[in-house]
Amino acid sequence: NAGVTQTPKFQVLKTGQSMTLQCAQDMNHEYMSWYRQDPGMGLRLIHYSVGAGITDQGEVPNGYNVSRSTTEDFPLRLLSAAPSQTSVYFCASRPGTSGGPNTGELFFGEGSRLTVL
Amino acid sequence: GNSVTQMEGPVTLSEEAFLTINCTYTATGYPSLFWYVQYPGEGLQLLLKATKADDKGSNKGFEATYRKETTSFHLEKGSVQVSDSAVYFCAPVPEGGKLIFGQGTELSVKP
């Protein structure tokens, strides 16, 4: 049971570099999302998707892009990394889209720790 | 707006001690309430939930009761174990709205 798979688990970037965090789920979940976790701030929603071809912004979308070409994959792109993007990133998914963009149990990946120097 | 306030950590307890982690929220309507747990080096996973007033969610010896009158969803366990050491997140989901995470409460249980 793979669930939600994130890669890479660790990454170090220099300021200005770009990269993509990968997220894949094998549960046929319609809803997928990206969070960042910073000390003392809980989890903050970056972007989310309610289905293939549909994405929307969360609380902290600036500096990040997403796309959803398939149900399974939801990559997060950093176009020009900044030290403020040093964080742990979590991808999460859930079945269905009823009741709004964020209801019901979320299934999380193990996280990707990003450091921007 | 919608928000959640959790008891600040870290919380350090001895094994078999009683645990309470407070959570209060503000949300429109009648939210569903969740507790998630994050073990070291892992992602979050659902611990328990309650979907309406006076419901009690329970799992792995943890309990939380949906108190609409005090807008609270405090997490309790009668006897903690070292394996319960983790970060606990309270997460209300307002009707038709987005899941809101608290800042998390780190629990450390010593033998």
Side-chain angles (χ1 to χ4, degrees):
Chain A
N1 291 339
V4 179
T5 303
Q6 290 183 233
T7 56
K9 292 194 183 332
F10 301 94
Q11 182 71 49
V12 178
L13 292 177
K14 294 180 179 178
T15 297
Q17 287 185 316
S18 62
M19 77 156 299
T20 299
L21 298 177
Q22 302 290 345
C23 176
Q25 53 88 12
D26 61 358
M27 299 173 282
N28 202 32
H29 286 172
E30 291 182 310
Y31 176 83
M32 297 185 73
S33 56
W34 277 102
Y35 289 86
R36 60 178 290 172
Q37 182 179 24
D38 302 293
M41 301 192 73
L43 276 76
R44 293 181 291 170
L45 182 65
I46 304 172
H47 285 286
Y48 66 95
S49 168
V50 298
I54 306 169
T55 63
D56 206 347
Q57 297 180 349
E59 304 169 70
V60 288
N62 292 340
Y64 307 95
N65 276 0
V66 292
S67 60
R68 185 89 180 273
S69 56
T70 66
T71 299
E72 294 79 18
D73 300 300
F74 191 46
L76 178 71
R77 297 183 185 85
L78 283 71
L79 303 177
S80 178
S84 60
Q85 294 178 303
T86 294
S87 187
V88 181
Y89 292 85
F90 288 97
C91 180
S93 70
R94 66 164 174 80
T97 58
S98 61
N102 253 320
T103 61
E105 178 183 359
L106 284 173
F107 295 81
F108 283 82
E110 293 186 344
S112 298
R113 184 176 293 276
L114 175 67
T115 301
V116 183
L117 303 176
Chain B
N2 300 317
S3 65
V4 57
T5 301
Q6 263 186 251
M7 174 176 168
E8 284 193 21
V11 174
T12 302
L13 296 174
S14 297
E15 206 165 23
E16 300 183 0
F18 184 85
L19 168 72
T20 299
I21 300 178
N22 292 336
C23 171
T24 58
Y25 64 90
T26 59
T28 54
Y30 299 92
S32 297
L33 302 174
F34 297 78
W35 276 100
Y36 282 81
V37 58
Q38 183 181 28
Y39 297 105
E42 299 183 10
L44 281 71
Q45 57 186 275
L46 181 65
L47 179 60
L48 54 84
K49 67 179 182 181
T51 57
K52 61 182 188 293
D54 299 324
D55 266 2
K56 178 184 286 188
S58 61
N59 186 27
K60 299 182 180 180
F62 290 89
E63 292 183 339
T65 301
Y66 188 155
R67 301 290 188 196
K68 186 174 183 301
E69 64 278 11
T70 55
T71 62
S72 65
F73 194 51
H74 304 323
L75 182 68
E76 297 181 335
K77 186 172 185 181
S79 177
V80 293
Q81 305 301 312
V82 172
S83 57
D84 293 327
S85 298
V87 182
Y88 293 83
F89 292 89
C90 182
V93 182
E95 288 181 338
K98 296 180 181 179
L99 188 151
I100 311 163
F101 283 99
Q103 78 271 25
T105 302
E106 182 180 358
L107 171 66
S108 178
V109 181
K110 306 298 184 185

